[in-house]
Amino acid sequence: MYALDSFAQATGAPRLAAVNALLDAVVVRVGLAAALVPALGYPGILAAQSLSPVLPCIVGAAYLRRYSRKAGRDMGGDAPATA
């Protein structure tokens, strides 16, 4: 998550990086813990900790893919370089 958020910040999307970090640190983690603790008890907290990066990772990977496609179009696609 650190690498994806750092990439988003470096490419001019600091809001996405901040929202993605909050999504990972608070929203998903606390939501999963609240949902899993009644059913699993203490192991529910551990499961929430391990599953919390999944959604923010998908968001970060989607941004990376969108950025790379846009950069590819701006650079002329996969055209070979000429000397």
Side-chain angles (χ1 to χ4, degrees), residues 35-80:
L36 295 176
V37 166
L40 301 175
Y42 181 73
I45 295 173
L46 300 175
Q49 287 286 90
S50 65
L51 294 173
S52 67
V54 172
L55 182 60
C57 184
I58 291 169
V59 170
Y63 175 75
L64 177 64
R65 184 176 178 155
R66 189 184 84 173
Y67 183 84
S68 66
R69 284 185 178 178
K70 181 182 178 224
R73 283 194 309 267
D74 291 346
M75 298 295 287
D78 292 321

Side-chain angles (χ1 to χ4, degrees), residues 2-50:
Y2 179 77
L4 290 173
D5 287 344
S6 295
F7 176 79
Q9 203 166 24
T11 57
R15 288 185 183 151
L16 174 70
V19 168
N20 208 21
L22 284 173
L23 187 66
D24 177 33
V26 179
V27 176
V28 176
R29 191 166 300 178
V30 172
L32 280 174
L36 295 176
V37 166
L40 301 175
Y42 181 73
I45 295 173
L46 300 175
Q49 287 286 90
S50 65

